[in-house]
Amino acid sequence: MASEAQPPAGRGRDHAGVLISALTRRGRQRFTGTLRMDGSPGGSVSMRDGLVVAASTPAAPGPEPLLLRSGRISEADWTAAFTAGAPEGRLERELVVRGLLGDAGVQVITRAAVADALFAMALCGVRTCTADPGDAAPLLASDPGLDAERATREIRRRLDLAHSWTVLGLSVRSRPRSSRPAGSVPVNAQRRELLAKVNGRRTPRDIAFALGRGLFPVMSDLATLIADGLATVEPPLAAGSDAVLDPEPRTGPAVPSPELPDEGIRSRAAPPPPHWSPPPQEPTGLPRRRHRSTDHEPRFQRKPPT
């Protein structure tokens, strides 16, 4: 098991130093196994003969939520295919045989999930990488996979775009709110659906999971909506907050996702201290009331008679 730490040159604006260097090095070595990324929240990258075949992170939807929450596959059909195919490692074949996806559809969804997960990990930051040679590949993998050099170029391209969105106030921890523009601005169906989820409480990651879309395309559309005056950006809850990692958009009771087990990834921001206010003043001339002592009030004592 080998571990890689971030080089000094990778610090600062480029949060992807460890991720990019690990992909480049392991791609040249034709590595087979799993790269485990330690970050906020981090994730994992599966490689086969130096090609990236899968990647997952709590910061972006994987193939399952991309298929289910977008409505491309019903939950009942997914459960049936998973039950039949997963134990023998042939989930992909089961989806195709049942007519839920074609061979091309499987590749489109798996490659999109890989690229989006790599972008999300790079954007949130990776501190260290540990390589597990020979680790088992996931059930849904891209075949043959993404070339590591090409994957790193795509990571940098997406990070550059994400950096340009910061002038609009948009980041992975922003909580955009819809607004009414001064003039009429045409909006297509996809952006209209996204705008319906923009309520000042959800982060781009929350919206991506709610819609079953990738984090990068959601942020790209949010940038357009903000530039067109259809949305504004609420400031983050706190600097360095982990609130982006809430497992579900807060529209109802939280239901753990199969890919996102509750592992203490909710926001750890401490609640504000209780506010103390003095007891109300009694009107002049009336008998004074005795106040009970509380956690936030001073304890009153009667003076001994003189």
Side-chain angles (χ1 to χ4, degrees), residues 1-305:
M1 184 179 295
S3 179
E4 301 174 30
Q6 178 158 323
R11 302 185 184 277
R13 172 187 161 187
D14 186 1
H15 295 168
V18 168
L19 178 61
I20 288 178
S21 64
L23 288 179
T24 302
R25 176 183 172 189
R26 299 299 176 176
R28 292 171 181 169
Q29 294 174 348
R30 301 182 65 85
F31 173 76
T32 295
T34 299
L35 303 178
R36 306 198 183 281
M37 305 293 172
D38 174 39
S40 300
S44 64
V45 180
S46 297
M47 302 185 73
R48 185 184 300 139
D49 293 328
L51 300 177
V52 182
V53 296
S56 64
T57 173
E64 182 177 345
L66 289 178
L67 290 170
L68 294 182
R69 300 190 186 183
S70 64
R72 296 181 219 184
I73 295 180
S74 71
E75 189 167 344
D77 286 339
W78 172 269
T79 301
F82 187 90
T83 302
E88 298 179 8
R90 53 181 181 85
L91 176 58
E92 175 184 340
R93 278 288 93 202
E94 199 66 32
L95 292 172
V96 173
V97 167
R98 292 170 179 263
L100 303 176
L101 286 176
D103 288 318
V106 171
Q107 292 310 306
V108 167
I109 199 71
T110 52
R111 291 172 75 91
V114 167
D116 198 56
L118 293 176
F119 162 73
M121 283 186 275
L123 187 63
C124 294
V126 174
R127 292 184 291 269
T128 61
C129 168
T130 303
D132 290 341
D135 200 40
L139 290 173
L140 278 180
S142 179
D143 186 16
L146 280 69
D147 178 78
E149 299 270 354
R150 182 177 178 183
T152 57
R153 288 196 299 270
E154 181 63 14
I155 292 171
R156 291 193 181 278
R157 184 187 74 84
R158 294 189 179 196
L159 285 178
D160 287 341
L161 286 172
H163 180 72
S164 71
W165 298 331
T166 59
V167 299
L168 301 172
L170 179 63
S171 73
V172 71
R173 290 182 171 86
S174 300
R175 296 178 181 267
R177 180 184 299 277
S178 61
S179 60
R180 295 183 179 180
S184 177
V185 179
V187 180
N188 61 28
Q190 192 174 59
R191 287 176 181 166
R192 192 180 306 116
E193 184 184 32
L194 187 151
L195 198 57
K197 301 293 184 184
V198 176
N199 59 6
R201 297 190 301 274
R202 295 186 179 99
T203 64
R205 183 265 186 191
D206 298 331
I207 298 172
F209 270 92
L211 295 177
R213 295 183 60 195
L215 177 66
F216 177 76
V218 162
M219 292 187 70
S220 180
D221 279 352
L222 282 173
T224 300
L225 293 174
I226 294 170
D228 288 345
L230 291 166
T232 58
V233 176
E234 296 289 327
L237 293 182
S241 170
D242 288 337
V244 68
L245 304 181
D246 287 342
E248 296 289 340
R250 300 184 180 183
T251 56
V255 180
S257 168
E259 287 197 350
L260 298 173
D262 184 8
E263 296 179 348
I265 57 177
R266 292 187 177 274
S267 173
R268 293 182 290 276
H275 177 71
W276 178 82
S277 56
Q281 297 292 329
E282 297 287 352
T284 307
L286 295 179
R288 296 179 61 83
R289 276 193 314 226
R290 294 181 61 188
H291 291 268
R292 290 186 303 169
S293 173
T294 69
D295 291 340
H296 309 303
E297 294 182 350
R299 192 179 298 273
F300 292 93
Q301 298 181 349
R302 301 183 62 176
K303 294 182 178 180

